[in-house]
Every structure is written in structure tokens, then in C-alpha cells.
Amino acid sequence: DAMVIQNPRYQVTQFGKPVTLSCSQTLNHNVMYWYQQKSSQAPKLLFHYYDKDFNNEADTPDNFQSRRPNTSFCFLDIRSPGLGDAAMYLCATSRDLGGGGGNQPQHFGDGTRLSIL
Amino acid sequence: RKEVEQDPGPFNVPEGATVAFNCTYSNSASQSFFWYRQDCRKEPKLLMSVYSSGNEDGRFTAQLNRASQYISLLIRDSKLSDSATYLCVVNMRGSQGNLIFGKGTKLSVKP
């Protein structure tokens, strides 16, 4: 059974038209992450939530926002998508943050592939 | 120097071959290490964590060398289904749990 679920798998939107990507988890993990991955590149962390605490990466454009209304759901909002935002968007979860010690692998959803017309 | 570096490959090997990938990381404060596997146009999936003493999972062996700051992955008896990109992933101490991904090493196993 899928534990990190992303919807939709494929999203097409128009240049400048707001779009929301969805992620849900059945793992009851504290941390949820959003990554952007372009072809032949490593996943790039956009931001993460530890419970309700939001942590934005310094180089994440203001165009990208996130919401986590409850433990299970997290949304990625792209306010005005540009052509350069076409990518695979990956949601991941981990039980806890790993910086304090111990292995904390992340579990990824299938991703949403975003195309911009 | 990039935070996590891998040879992008591709490594083209015949079925049954043994293949090894290395990965170097720049931050000596790195604390946790993983190998993820990513199939074309799919999400990364955890292959194995890497422990200081080295660890093995079936045909896969991972090793960590903290002094030289590198991690290795050895695949024995390669299968066609092992064809994928292998991502080296590092977690920094105090980094809020952020994983640093390498760009991956592409492996293609041929019949």
C-alpha cells in the first residue's frame, strides 16, 4: 500500500496560472518535505515542515509556498508558474529530523510531473 | 567542491558482473548516509542506509570511510532489474534533517 501519495501524477498548467500539488501520508511522520527535481539533476529541497513548523530553504523562490493543514497532508502552491518551473515535484516524509542523531531515511511519493504551457 | 559528488556514469555492465560506485562528501560533520535508487521518471527509493562498520543486504554491500569522506556501494551478480540511477545521500549534523543528494550514477545492466 502506498504510504506517501501524491496527486496528481501529471499536472499541466498554463504560464502564470496558479497550481497546487497535493501530498498525503499514512505513516504519521512528523516531517514532510517538498523537492524539485529536473532532468539529470539531484532532487533540490524547497522546504519542509516539522509538525507545524515551516522551514524554507534560502534559495527557494517566493513563487513557491506550502501549507500543512494537518499531520497527513501537505500542499505545494506555485503562485505564478514560469517555464523554468517545469519539473518533477517530490514529496517525502521522515519520522523525525535526522540532524540530531541516528538514521532518518526519507520516504518518497511517486512525484508529480509538472508541465507548463 | 560539491557537497556530494558521484561519477554520473553510465556504467554499462553485463549480467552477473560485480560493479562498484563511489561517492565523496565534503562536510566532515556529515552524520548519516544512504544509497537511494531511482528508476527513470520515478521517485527515489531507499536502497540501504550506510553504517560505520559497513553493511550488507543480499547482493548489495555499502561501506563508509569517514577519514577519506567517501561511501561505496558494491553490487554483486548484477541483474537486468538493477538498471537504474543510484543516488548517494548524506545528512548533515544540525542541518534540520536535510538530505544532500548527489546527482546519481547511472547503471545499465545488459543481457
Side-chain angles (χ1 to χ4, degrees), chain A residues 28-39:
Chain A
N28 203 32
H29 280 177
N30 290 316
V31 194
M32 295 186 78
Y33 308 81
W34 278 105
Y35 290 87
Q36 180 193 65
Q37 187 176 26
K38 297 186 177 181
S39 181

Side-chain angles (χ1 to χ4, degrees), chain A residues 9 33 35 37 40 42-43 45 48 55 57 88 90 97-106 108-110 113, chain B residues 31-34 36 38 41-44 46 49-51 87 91-99 101-103:
Chain A
R9 289 293 306 277
Y33 308 81
Y35 290 87
Q37 187 176 26
S40 301
L45 182 65
H48 76 270
N55 294 273
E57 291 300 295
M88 170 83 94
L90 295 160
L97 292 173
N103 279 332
Q104 291 290 337
Q106 294 179 10
F108 286 81
D110 290 342
R113 186 165 293 279
Chain B
Q31 186 177 12
S32 302
F33 310 90
F34 309 93
Y36 278 74
Q38 187 170 27
R41 301 175 75 86
K42 299 284 184 112
E43 79 280 13
L46 179 65
S49 300
V50 186
Y51 300 113
L87 301 170
N91 180 320
M92 307 284 189
R93 183 189 300 275
S95 69
Q96 294 291 309
N98 294 349
L99 297 183
F101 286 80
K103 287 190 175 181

Side-chain angles (χ1 to χ4, degrees), chain A residues 32-94:
Chain A
M32 295 186 78
Y33 308 81
W34 278 105
Y35 290 87
Q36 180 193 65
Q37 187 176 26
K38 297 186 177 181
S39 181
S40 301
Q41 294 187 20
K44 177 181 179 300
L45 182 65
L46 296 173
F47 24 60
H48 76 270
Y49 272 95
Y50 180 77
D51 194 14
K52 296 180 181 178
D53 292 334
F54 178 70
N55 294 273
N56 197 32
E57 291 300 295
D59 57 354
T60 298
D62 293 339
N63 199 25
F64 291 86
Q65 306 283 321
S66 186
R67 296 170 283 135
R68 190 179 184 185
N70 54 53
T71 300
S72 301
F73 284 87
C74 195
F75 300 98
L76 169 62
D77 300 309
I78 308 177
R79 290 192 297 187
S80 182
L83 296 178
D85 296 329
M88 170 83 94
Y89 289 87
L90 295 160
C91 174
T93 72
S94 63

Side-chain angles (χ1 to χ4, degrees), chain A residues 1-5 25-27 107-108 110:
Chain A
D1 290 338
M3 295 178 287
V4 182
I5 304 161
Q25 54 133 341
T26 59
L27 297 163
H107 303 269
F108 286 81
D110 290 342

